[in-house]
Amino acid sequence: MAKAAPNRGERNRNRIRMGVGWFYLIAVILAVITAGTDACPPSDRAALLAFRAALHEPFIGIFNSWNGTDCCQNWYGVSCDPVVHRVADISLRAISEEPIFRKAHRTGFMSGSISPEVCKLERLSSLIVADWKGISGPVPHCITSLPFLRHLDLIGNRISGGIPRGIGRLHDLTVLNLADNRITGPLPQSIVNLGRLMHLDLRNNQISGQLPGEIGRLRMMSRALLSGNRITGPIPPSIANIYRLADLDLSLNRISGPIPDIFDKMPVLATLNLDGNLLSGQIPPSLLKSGVSILNLSKNAIEGRIPDAFGPRSYFMEIDLSYNKLTGPIPKSISSASYIGHMDVAHNQLCGPIPSGPPFDHLDAASFAYNSCLCGKPLKQC
């Protein structure tokens, strides 16, 4: 007997079952493909392993998790871009509150060098290898070929050699921190091309030569910390163009020439440290009426009188003019300053009575010692 043909409803149900089957098959295939694409590519994994091979970290075990095929999953200090699944960040700090450090009850130590293989991480945006104390060798010059690099922090190591000459090619760089290393040579002229740089920290190195005359092109910079180097020459007037600069530290260098009359034109500059240089000439009166609240001009060769230019806009948490060649009296207008927390004029050639009242009523004798003929409280009577 011939089998009856399926009716229309049964045909529709068959089609639905086939559609569901195809849907699950496609979903499985996509899951397999996605799982493969979510993993970091073999080239990134190889670059990370070469980077690790150039370093030796014996105490904490931060590289123990660097195994398996997917470097985007649970590799300590490594994170990947969630869209392109390429390595985007390496963040390895020797001083950390991470559980691996708390368990070891110590900060980290690492030796070795920064392998140029790190430059094969083409999507790298952040490279932080900070405070390991023993990492030496140069900053790889190929670092300037990483177009997405925004954060370079190698503070607290023994990095030597110069800052790569092509550093200015890193147009997205916002943080450059090479402080507390052994960097030598001049600041590359190309550094002024870092138009997005916000934080520059090169303290405590052996950097020499002059500050670039066009440093004022770094208009986004809010902190420029270059103390403890061997920088020579004058302070470039173009610094006044860095209108976002809040903290400028050029102390403990060999900077010479006069203090430029520019700092009252910088609206957010709060800290100005120029101590321990070879500055000469006189203090610009406008500096005492600027927005600077921490001013250190000590240990230079500044001459002339302290300008009688203090006023209600003068607000100093600290003003240090000690160890210079200042002459004449302490200006009476200083009493009109809105606030002076600490003042030091010791080791000059000042003469005359110390004004009474604030801020002088809370300063001790050491702030006025070793002058020609200052007198009055807290020193001996006039």
Side-chain angles (χ1 to χ4, degrees):
M1 183 174 176
K3 188 175 181 181
N7 58 33
R8 182 179 296 176
E10 190 173 343
R11 286 198 299 271
N12 288 338
R13 286 193 293 272
N14 288 337
R15 289 193 188 100
I16 292 172
R17 282 195 291 268
M18 290 178 64
V20 171
W22 277 109
F23 173 80
Y24 281 117
L25 178 60
I26 292 170
V28 169
I29 293 172
L30 287 175
V32 171
I33 294 173
T34 303
T37 57
D38 280 351
C40 74
S43 59
D44 280 13
R45 181 179 180 274
L48 285 173
L49 292 178
F51 171 80
R52 182 188 71 177
L55 297 168
H56 178 60
E57 191 280 296
F59 301 115
I60 308 295
I62 63 168
F63 292 128
N64 291 348
S65 63
W66 285 34
N67 52 55
T69 58
D70 188 2
C71 59
C72 291
Q73 293 291 328
N74 301 319
W75 283 38
Y76 180 85
V78 177
S79 59
C80 296
D81 187 302
V83 177
V84 298
H85 308 293
R86 300 290 302 274
V87 172
D89 302 294
I90 299 175
S91 182
L92 303 174
R93 297 185 183 274
I95 302 172
S96 173
E97 293 299 319
E98 293 277 348
I100 191 172
F101 285 86
R102 291 202 300 268
K103 185 178 179 180
H105 301 293
R106 60 167 296 153
T107 58
F109 175 84
M110 194 187 304
S111 59
S113 62
I114 306 295
S115 170
E117 294 294 307
V118 75
C119 303
K120 294 181 179 179
L121 299 170
E122 298 169 352
R123 302 288 299 197
L124 194 66
S125 67
S126 178
L127 177 59
I128 302 172
V129 186
D131 295 311
W132 292 98
K133 303 179 183 66
I135 297 175
S136 58
V139 179
H141 282 252
C142 61
I143 211 88
T144 64
S145 67
L146 293 172
F148 298 96
L149 195 65
R150 299 180 69 248
H151 192 137
L152 179 59
D153 185 348
L154 305 179
I155 186 175
N157 289 291
R158 299 171 64 189
I159 305 292
S160 58
I163 300 170
R165 292 178 61 185
I167 194 76
R169 292 199 291 267
L170 298 175
H171 297 299
D172 287 339
L173 197 68
T174 60
V175 174
L176 176 58
N177 189 348
L178 302 177
D180 300 326
N181 278 288
R182 300 179 179 181
I183 304 293
T184 56
L187 289 174
Q189 289 297 320
S190 72
I191 202 169
V192 303
N193 296 327
L194 299 176
R196 297 184 180 179
L197 190 67
M198 298 179 184
H199 181 99
L200 177 64
D201 192 348
L202 303 176
R203 292 172 295 171
N204 302 324
N205 280 287
Q206 300 168 32
I207 296 169
S208 57
Q210 299 188 12
L211 295 172
E214 294 186 271
I215 196 170
R217 290 171 56 187
L218 301 174
R219 299 196 177 199
M220 299 294 287
M221 191 160 58
S222 61
R223 302 188 77 200
L225 311 177
L226 294 100
S227 63
N229 282 286
R230 301 173 182 176
I231 298 170
T232 58
I235 299 172
S238 71
I239 281 182
N241 297 328
I242 311 176
Y243 64 94
R244 295 191 180 190
L245 192 63
D247 189 351
L248 177 60
D249 190 350
L250 300 176
S251 62
L252 304 176
N253 278 287
R254 300 171 185 175
I255 296 171
S256 58
I259 300 170
D261 190 5
I262 58 172
F263 296 111
D264 62 318
K265 302 176 180 66
M266 303 176 71
V268 297
L269 186 65
T271 300
L272 179 61
N273 290 324
L274 302 177
D275 50 297
N277 280 288
L278 304 172
L279 295 169
S280 57
Q282 300 186 4
I283 299 172
S286 62
L287 181 55
L288 303 180
K289 295 183 287 188
S290 65
V292 174
S293 59
I294 297 176
L295 176 64
N296 195 337
L297 304 179
S298 66
K299 298 178 182 175
N300 279 287
I302 300 169
E303 302 172 316
R305 296 182 172 225
I306 301 173
D308 194 10
F310 291 88
R313 291 191 59 194
S314 305
Y315 184 100
F316 289 101
M317 291 187 288
E318 178 183 340
I319 178 169
D320 192 343
L321 307 177
S322 62
Y323 291 92
N324 278 291
K325 300 178 180 180
L326 297 170
T327 58
I330 296 175
K332 293 181 179 180
S333 65
I334 201 167
S335 299
S336 66
S338 61
Y339 178 76
I340 294 182
H342 177 75
M343 181 177 186
D344 193 342
V345 294
H347 294 271
N348 278 288
Q349 300 167 26
L350 299 173
C351 193
I354 298 171
S356 59
F360 303 101
D361 52 4
H362 68 261
L363 298 177
D364 58 29
S367 297
F368 305 97
Y370 299 100
N371 275 283
S372 296
C373 51
L374 282 180
C375 59
K377 189 177 180 180
L379 300 180
K380 65 182 180 179
Q381 290 185 352
C382 296

